[in-house]
């Protein structure tokens, strides 16, 4: 009887779902549809070309019976990993170029985009994921399970399952053009440079190599002392220089195409050249010299700040601009998109528009440290597009961040872009099904830094969810509303978390919920929200204008003047640059306080709208992914409400003004929110 009941239920479920196949999300955007027959001609043989052929046979959606020719040629217009495609040819100057061309051809077929005879070259030569993975398998700011590379138990056994997973990872990367991976956390353990870990790194490199993904390592600056047992790690000490040279040689003997080092130095307690009275340039150049014979690069992070600085936003610029021109040409300064730290909205870092003789690369955060972890649905492409398309005015109008970093504004030996990965052992890799879109979008944007978020959302939805059985109504009933939801999702998050230029007002170290009040006595001020919002009875916001910290001065004309004046400063950065009275008159005609209330409320309304969109569109996808996203949207809606109530009720203590009566009233009490914030409490207790 029980079996019969289960069978009936199953039958009903199949009917209701229109027989949509269950999907655990593991296939990402590479779900293979039934392929049409195709013949592939390719004269040369290599592991990479074998993959290219296999992918065509597995995924061909073009005319049945087509013969596709893959050919290698010399062509000055096609760069090392670029390609030319037509409906039945892929041409490139390298094997990996062929593979990228094949993925592009297949993508066009699956998304129904036309294939004309065209050349595509990547914007950046190095398109890199940064994994903040620790040797024990944990991941700093990881929200999708443990590391796919490292683990605690049997750390040095490489199993077939490991290799299979690394191969899937490499394939996903290659399919969107990512060609590098830093395998470990920038808060680097010295262990990574020891023999056992290097052997595992070699094993990973071997699996990634045919897919064109080079491995890099993040290194701890004090490794000569910690691993090499030298008395110092001073970058100018001959024994230290010799130690790094030997270490680099050891690495290249194992991994001949090793990419190089990523370094977080003299930052957040990490050791660095400043510990020895040396500069960032001294430190970076010493490593660059060791890597140079092997064509390796150093990505040296500009994420530096100290508790003594009056304005954290200014420090990276102050430390690095005086060193412009002193770095070797295989050093690239890796700069976070904003001057503080991956906040939902920041202005672009002024360093992008300041370094004239040193290569600079953007670092984006794919993992959603400040954007609701893997609970909130936030499509990040609009945020990255906003940064890349910001005009720095470095070489006059049109000097976008994209052009100041990709080598088109001035010649650079290397150009690069990095994204902090959101990948872990979760079946769907990223925790949230929609978080996969951020991995996808990062790769596609690294390839083409002018691509529009709208195009990326369109591609990704089609590749990830398309359903041939409902093709007729799918575009209008699923694609279109879900795309709108994705494209609005980042602004919604800004609205319910940090509107009008507010930033860093999250609770404690978890960086998840709201905490504008959070300021334990023993905590350094620049790690607490009041340092950033500066709310008091006179108003709210950080005065970075000429009358304040004068951070505006780090921007080129005409931006400096525009940001300096609250009447010309864009609304969405207003409280980043200004401390303004609660009754300041906004462009909308509202007071600042009312505008703040409206923004927070609109964020909540937007997420409620996403729930409606999803529930209605849900019938076009499999139940598992539908339900998982539905559940997360419910949590996001509750969190949005919490953010709104927490921030408005807290700031209201200073504004002493009513929340406009036409807006929904708060649902939580401030006292309860503060009391219930367990993450904050746990953290405080651990201090
Ligand atoms: O955003 C902060 C994070 C740290 C991180 C640091 C960095 C890896 O809270 O967890 O450390 O930035 O980028 O170095």
């Amino acid at each position: 009887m029980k079996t019969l009941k289960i069978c009936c239920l199953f039958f009903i479920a199949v009917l209701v779902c229109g027989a949509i196949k269950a999907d655990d999300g593991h296939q990402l955007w590479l779900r293979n549809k039934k392929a049409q027959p195709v013949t592939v001609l390719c004269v040369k043989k290599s592991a990479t070309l074998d993959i290219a052929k296999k992918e065509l046979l597995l995924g061909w959606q073009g005319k049945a019976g087509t013969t596709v020719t893959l050919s290698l040629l010399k062509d000055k217009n096609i760069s090392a990993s670029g390609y030319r495609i037509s409906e039945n040819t892929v041409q490139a100057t390298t094997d990996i170029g062929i593979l990228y061309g094949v993925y592009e051809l297949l993508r066009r077929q699956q998304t129904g985009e036309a294939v004309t005879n065209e050349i595509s070259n990547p914007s950046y030569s190095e398109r890199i994921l940064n994994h903040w993975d620790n040797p024990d398998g944990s991941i700093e700011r990881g929200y999708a399970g443990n590391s796919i590379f490292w683990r605690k138990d049997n750390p040095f056994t490489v199993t077939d399952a490991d290799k299979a997973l690394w191969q899937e990872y490499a394939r996903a990367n290659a399919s969107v053009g990512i060609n590098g991976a830093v395998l470990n956390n920038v808060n680097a353990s010295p262990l990574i440079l020891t023999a056992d870990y290097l052997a595992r790194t070699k094993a990973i490199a071997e699996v990634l190599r045919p897919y064109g993904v080079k491995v890099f390592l993040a290194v701890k600056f004090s490794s000569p002392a910690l691993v090499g047992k030298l008395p110092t790690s001073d970058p100018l000490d001959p024994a230290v220089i010799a130690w790094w040279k030997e270490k680099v040689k050891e690495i290249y003997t194992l991994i001949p195409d090793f990419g190089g080092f990523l370094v977080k130095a003299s930052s957040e307690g990490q050791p660095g050249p400043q510990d020895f009275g040396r500069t960032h340039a001294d430190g970076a150049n010493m490593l660059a010299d060791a890597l140079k014979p092997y064509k390796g690069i150093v990505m040296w992070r500009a994420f530096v700040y100290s508790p003594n600085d009056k304005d954290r936003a200014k420090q990276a610029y102050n430390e690095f601009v005086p060193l412009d021109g002193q770095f070797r040409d295989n050093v690239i300064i890796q700069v976070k998109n904003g001057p503080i730290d991956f906040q939902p909205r920041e202005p672009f870092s002024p360093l992008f528009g300041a370094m004239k003789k040193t290569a600079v690369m953007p670092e984006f955060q794919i993992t959603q440290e400040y954007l609701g972890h893997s609970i909130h649905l936030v499509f990040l492409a609009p945020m990255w597009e906003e940064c890349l398309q910001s005009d720095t005015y470095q070489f006059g109008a049109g000097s976008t961040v994209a052009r100041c970093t990709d080598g088109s504004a001035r010649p650079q030996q290397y150009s690069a872009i990095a994204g902090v990965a959101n990948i872990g052992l979760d079946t769907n890799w990223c925790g949230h099904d929609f978080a996969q879109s951020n991995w996808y979008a990062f790769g596609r944007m690294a390839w083409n830094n002018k691509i529009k978020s709208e195009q990326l959302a369109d591609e990704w939805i089609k590749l990830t969810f398309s359903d041939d059985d409902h093709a007729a109504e799918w575009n209008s009933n699923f694609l279109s509303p879900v795309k709108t939801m994705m494209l609005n999702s980042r602004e919604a998050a800004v609205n319910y978390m940090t509107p009008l230029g507010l930033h860093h007002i999250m609770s404690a170290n978890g960086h998840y919920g709201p905490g504008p009040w959070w300021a334990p006595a023993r905590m350094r001020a620049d790690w607490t929200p009041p340092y950033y919002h500066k709310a008091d009875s006179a108003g709210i916001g950080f005065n970075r204008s000429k009358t304040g910290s004068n951070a505006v001065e780090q921007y080129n004309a005409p931006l400096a003047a525009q940001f300096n004046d609250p009447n010309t400063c864009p609304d969405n950065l207003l409280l980043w640059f200004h401390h303004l009275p609660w009754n300041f008159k906004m462009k909308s005609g509202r007071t600042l306080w009312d505008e703040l209330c409206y923004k927070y409320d609109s964020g909540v309304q937007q997420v409620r709208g996403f729930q409606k969109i999803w529930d209605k569109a849900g019938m076009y996808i499999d139940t598992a992914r539908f339900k998982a996203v539905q559940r997360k949207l419910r949590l996001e809606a509750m969190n949005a409400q919490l953010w709104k109530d927490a921030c408005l009720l807290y700031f209201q203590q200073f504004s002493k003004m009513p929340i406009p009566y036409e807006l929904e009233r708060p649902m939580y009490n401030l006292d309860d929110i503060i009391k219930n914030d367990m993450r904050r409490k746990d953290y405080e207790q651990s201090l």
Side-chain angles (χ1 to χ4, degrees):
M1 190 60 195
K2 204 166 165 198
T3 333
L4 187 69
K5 243 196 219 159
I6 292 174
C7 282
C8 284
L9 279 178
F10 177 72
F11 184 64
I12 292 167
V14 167
L15 276 183
V16 171
C17 299
I20 296 174
K21 261 199 291 162
D23 195 322
D24 62 9
H26 192 69
Q27 302 301 312
L28 297 161
W29 49 87
L30 292 162
R31 300 178 313 149
N32 282 321
K33 292 189 189 163
K34 197 173 169 321
Q36 297 295 329
V38 64
T39 308
V40 184
L41 297 181
C42 179
V43 180
K44 205 184 140 195
K45 255 196 88 61
S46 75
T48 303
L49 292 171
D50 283 351
I51 296 169
K53 280 186 246 170
K54 206 172 109 199
E55 292 287 10
L56 283 170
L57 297 176
L58 222 98
W60 185 255
Q61 304 290 310
K63 233 187 276 146
T66 307
T67 300
V68 180
T69 316
L70 310 180
S71 51
L72 287 147
L73 42 71
K74 288 207 170 76
D75 186 330
K76 281 200 305 295
N77 298 314
I78 306 179
S79 74
S81 36
Y83 53 80
R84 180 191 282 123
I85 51 168
S86 74
E87 273 183 16
N88 56 0
T89 58
V90 179
Q91 301 176 326
T93 59
T94 58
D95 295 3
I96 191 65
I98 295 277
L99 182 59
Y100 290 145
V102 163
Y103 281 125
E104 177 66 9
L105 194 54
L106 293 174
R107 188 185 63 69
R108 300 272 182 110
Q109 291 178 348
Q110 284 167 34
T111 56
E113 233 183 285
V115 184
T116 49
N117 194 331
E118 60 195 277
I119 289 180
S120 178
N121 291 314
S123 302
Y124 297 94
S125 64
E126 318 297 316
R127 306 171 296 279
I128 303 179
L129 286 181
N130 288 185
H131 292 266
W132 286 356
D133 296 15
N134 300 312
D136 67 359
S138 62
I139 303 182
E140 182 152 354
R141 311 300 177 191
Y143 312 106
N146 275 348
S147 172
I148 62 167
F149 300 120
W150 317 105
R151 63 164 168 259
K152 209 176 189 158
D153 302 328
N154 297 323
F156 307 118
T157 321
V158 175
T159 64
D160 286 347
D162 287 335
K163 286 196 201 158
L165 193 66
W166 298 339
Q167 189 181 5
E168 290 174 324
Y169 161 84
R171 177 180 180 230
N173 278 340
S175 76
V176 291
I178 291 169
N179 69 348
V182 182
L183 302 181
N184 64 311
N185 191 353
V186 286
N187 288 329
S189 161
L191 285 177
I192 208 74
L193 290 177
T194 57
D196 286 336
Y197 283 95
L198 289 179
R200 192 169 172 89
T201 304
K202 173 185 158 76
I204 298 169
E206 276 162 9
V207 178
L208 272 44
R209 184 168 297 124
Y211 289 89
V213 182
K214 267 188 297 191
V215 303
F216 295 76
L217 291 175
V219 295
K220 200 174 191 77
F221 201 76
S222 52
S223 296
L226 297 173
V227 182
K229 306 286 173 230
L230 298 186
T232 177
S233 295
D234 180 349
L236 301 191
D237 183 287
V240 170
I241 297 172
W243 186 86
W244 279 110
K245 278 204 169 134
E246 265 312 298
K247 188 49 81 181
V248 166
K249 191 169 155 200
E250 181 189 342
I251 297 174
Y252 277 91
T253 311
L254 295 168
I255 309 163
D257 56 352
F258 180 70
F261 294 146
L262 169 63
V263 194
K264 172 175 178 179
S266 301
S267 157
E268 291 190 332
Q270 290 298 323
Q274 293 174 351
D275 302 346
F276 310 96
R278 314 296 184 193
T279 67
H280 288 291
D282 294 330
N285 291 343
M286 180 270 295
L287 294 173
D289 290 342
L291 289 159
K292 179 107 182 168
Y294 310 93
K295 299 196 166 55
I297 62 169
V298 175
M299 292 167 288
W300 190 270
R301 292 176 94 229
F303 181 64
V304 295
Y305 61 98
S306 80
N308 312 323
D309 212 68
K310 284 213 179 61
D311 182 1
R312 170 173 165 186
K314 289 176 69 179
Q315 192 157 335
Y317 179 105
N318 287 345
E319 275 193 36
F320 279 86
V321 172
L323 300 173
D324 191 16
Q326 294 182 28
F327 292 94
R328 303 281 193 266
D329 60 9
N330 58 335
V331 175
I332 312 186
I333 307 302
Q334 181 165 316
V335 181
K336 290 187 180 183
N337 53 285
I340 299 277
D341 188 9
F342 297 138
Q343 294 300 295
R345 170 164 282 119
E346 300 193 28
F348 68 86
S349 164
L351 266 177
F352 291 120
M355 301 292 267
K356 293 197 162 32
K357 297 179 222 135
T358 309
V360 172
M361 62 186 279
E363 175 179 336
F364 294 148
Q365 196 178 41
I366 310 172
T367 189
Q368 291 169 230
E369 175 180 357
Y370 297 101
L371 284 139
H373 299 182
S374 59
I375 302 296
H376 295 195
L377 189 162
V378 188
F379 180 50
L380 299 170
M383 171 157 112
W384 303 332
E385 185 182 343
E386 183 175 297
C387 173
L388 289 168
Q389 296 317 319
S390 293
D391 200 340
T392 71
Y393 293 91
Q394 183 174 20
F395 306 100
S399 307
T400 56
V401 170
R403 298 196 61 238
C404 290
T405 52
D406 68 7
S408 57
R410 64 188 161 87
Q412 285 173 209
Q413 171 91 6
Y414 296 93
S415 64
I417 184 164
V420 181
N422 61 352
I423 297 159
L425 281 174
D426 276 8
T427 305
N428 73 3
W429 301 88
C430 303
H432 194 308
D433 287 294
F434 276 78
Q436 298 176 351
S437 67
N438 294 326
W439 179 6
Y440 180 88
F442 171 75
R444 299 274 296 132
M445 262 188 182
W447 184 276
N448 174 3
N449 62 10
K450 295 186 195 69
I451 203 164
K452 299 269 176 266
S453 306
E454 204 261 327
Q455 157 93 16
L456 294 175
D458 189 86
E459 290 173 7
W460 179 79
I461 297 170
K462 286 176 179 164
L463 295 171
T464 308
F465 294 114
S466 73
D467 167 18
D468 290 341
D469 297 336
H470 297 89
E473 71 266 29
W474 194 82
N475 277 3
S476 52
N477 292 1
F478 189 88
L479 175 65
S480 166
V482 172
K483 200 195 312 182
T484 306
M485 168 174 79
M486 285 175 76
L487 291 172
N488 291 333
S489 60
R490 184 273 184 139
E491 204 58 40
V494 170
N495 287 338
Y496 65 70
M497 286 179 172
T498 53
L500 300 178
L502 286 174
H503 50 287
H504 213 293
I505 56 172
M506 63 287 159
S507 165
N509 197 35
H511 299 176
Y512 183 68
W517 52 82
W518 190 75
R522 279 162 297 161
M523 180 54 70
R524 48 188 266 198
D526 60 343
W527 283 350
T528 69
Y531 172 96
Y532 298 94
H533 63 67
K534 305 218 184 296
D536 55 21
S537 57
I540 181 170
F542 199 122
N543 184 0
R544 297 192 167 104
S545 75
K546 286 189 174 147
T547 62
S549 78
N550 203 15
V552 290
E553 222 24 65
Q554 297 185 338
Y555 290 89
N556 299 314
L559 290 179
Q562 190 194 332
F563 291 154
N564 188 56
D565 179 349
N567 295 309
T568 53
C569 182
D571 272 4
N572 62 19
L573 294 174
L574 198 59
L575 303 179
W576 183 283
F577 287 112
H578 298 277
H579 188 268
L580 297 169
W582 296 105
N583 61 3
F584 175 81
K585 197 61 172 274
M586 299 292 292
K587 295 183 190 83
S588 65
R590 295 188 186 116
T591 62
L592 171 58
W593 166 252
D594 279 5
E595 188 77 12
L596 201 63
C597 295
Y598 267 89
K599 284 286 179 196
Y600 272 107
D601 189 66
S602 70
V604 176
Q605 299 310 326
Q606 280 172 294
V607 183
R608 302 293 279 156
F610 299 160
Q611 288 185 280
K612 290 181 194 155
I613 289 178
W614 188 247
D615 280 1
K616 198 165 163 205
M619 71 178 76
Y620 295 98
I621 69 159
D622 56 285
T623 328
R625 287 188 298 175
F626 168 67
K627 285 232 156 118
V629 173
Q630 185 187 51
R631 208 170 42 236
K632 292 196 170 187
L633 278 171
R634 287 179 184 158
L635 282 171
E636 181 175 356
M638 289 192 268
N639 285 341
Q641 182 75 47
L642 193 76
W643 268 92
K644 170 191 160 187
D645 293 358
C647 295
L648 290 184
L649 293 172
Y650 172 77
F651 291 136
Q652 194 177 35
Q653 300 176 119
F654 304 101
S655 80
K656 308 222 182 302
M657 293 159 90
I659 295 172
Y661 296 111
E662 61 277 20
L663 296 183
E664 302 278 1
R665 315 322 291 163
M667 293 175 66
Y668 299 96
N669 295 311
L670 184 60
D671 292 350
D672 297 337
I673 300 176
I674 296 176
K675 236 187 291 153
N676 290 334
D677 185 358
M678 292 310 289
R679 289 168 193 270
R680 178 185 59 83
K681 265 210 216 138
D682 288 349
Y683 184 55
E684 264 178 39
Q685 272 157 19
S686 75
L687 284 177

